[in-house]
């Protein structure tokens, strides 16, 4: 069981838990998967802006293009963790499955964003509609994180402890680029 350290803290310090390596490891893997998902969505968003309506962000996403993109991402990751061909194959299947499950959520996010703009620029503020949109977006976020967590756990089952540690270290380095402290 984790316990909180009770030593006095300076105003800028953070509360630490004893036995925090396991929590940091889990957080690291979660943030790595989240970063990969953000890269996946961001990559498609960039292509959408660059190529117009027939792009990857349109309603008719070419599954082959999506699969190819995911395969490239897994290939790069597999090199960094020295994955075997069998592991790479399993990781690719996990990532493609998650990508296909998450792809329909992109349109919902896009519609929600436009709806928020419409609500906030309306003549009269409709607080009930804003609250309803907030609840819908939270449900969407919950569904997304549940699917990402499932993919994360599936990928962790495929990897060795050493490979998971490499991923955690990579995630921590990645996180330090965006957070100072």
């Amino acid at each position: 069981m984790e316990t909180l350290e009770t030593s006095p803290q300076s105003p800028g310090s953070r509360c630490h838990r004893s036995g925090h390596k396991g929590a940091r490891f889990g957080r690291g893997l979660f943030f790595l998967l989240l970063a990969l998902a953000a890269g996946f969505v961001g990559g498609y968003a960039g292509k959408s802006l660059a190529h117009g309506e027939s792009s990857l962000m349109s309603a008719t996403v070419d599954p082959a293009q999506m699969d190819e993109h995911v395969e490239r991402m897994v290939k790069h990751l597999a090199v960094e963790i020295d994955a075997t061909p069998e592991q790479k194959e399993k990781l690719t299947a996990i990532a493609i499955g998650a990508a296909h499950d998450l792809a329909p959520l992109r349109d919902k996010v896009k519609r929600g964003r436009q709806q928020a703009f419409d609500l906030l620029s309306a003549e009269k503020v409709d607080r009930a509609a804003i609250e309803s949109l907030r609840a819908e977006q939270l449900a969407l976020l919950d569904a997304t994180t549940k699917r990402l967590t499932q993919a994360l756990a599936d990928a962790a089952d495929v990897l060795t402890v050493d490979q998971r540690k490499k991923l955690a270290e990579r995630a921590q380095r990645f996180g330090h680029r965006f957070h100072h402290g």
Side-chain angles (χ1 to χ4, degrees):
M1 181 171 176
E2 293 183 350
T3 58
L4 292 176
E5 293 179 6
T6 57
S7 59
Q9 306 242 337
S10 64
S13 68
R14 296 180 184 167
C15 182
H16 295 285
R17 296 182 185 269
S18 60
H20 64 283
K21 284 187 179 182
R24 289 173 69 189
F25 174 73
R27 258 185 308 212
L29 282 177
F30 178 75
F31 285 119
L32 177 64
L33 185 61
L34 200 54
L36 288 173
F40 168 73
V41 172
Y44 287 137
K47 288 185 180 191
S48 170
L49 294 173
H51 300 292
E53 269 315 299
S54 64
S55 70
L56 293 169
M57 283 298 282
S58 68
T60 56
V61 175
D62 179 11
Q65 282 181 304
M66 182 169 46
D67 292 354
E68 182 181 311
H69 182 74
V70 171
E71 286 172 8
R72 274 195 316 271
M73 288 175 34
V74 171
K75 179 181 174 184
H76 290 293
L77 181 67
V79 167
E80 296 224 8
I81 62 170
D82 300 319
T84 66
E86 181 182 330
Q87 287 175 314
K88 183 181 167 197
E89 186 178 315
K90 288 179 180 180
L91 291 171
T92 300
I94 291 166
I96 286 175
H100 282 266
D101 291 347
L102 293 170
L105 301 180
R106 288 190 319 250
D107 189 46
K108 290 180 182 181
V109 169
K110 189 176 178 181
R111 282 195 316 261
R113 183 171 184 244
Q114 184 57 52
Q115 190 177 359
F117 289 140
D118 293 345
L119 286 169
L120 294 173
S121 63
E123 201 60 38
K124 183 178 181 212
V125 176
D126 184 347
R127 291 180 182 272
I130 292 171
E131 174 58 23
S132 176
L133 178 61
R134 183 198 68 79
E136 289 170 15
Q137 293 300 303
L138 281 175
L140 182 61
L141 178 63
D142 185 53
T144 301
T145 59
K146 280 181 182 179
R147 184 60 181 98
L148 289 173
T149 301
Q150 177 189 350
L152 173 64
D154 292 345
D157 284 342
V158 170
L159 302 174
T160 66
V161 173
D162 288 338
Q163 290 169 324
R164 292 192 309 262
K165 285 180 181 179
K166 284 181 185 179
L167 283 177
E169 289 167 5
R170 179 182 163 96
Q172 286 178 328
R173 285 192 313 268
F174 180 78
H176 285 295
R177 284 193 264 170
F178 298 102
H179 305 287
H180 302 286

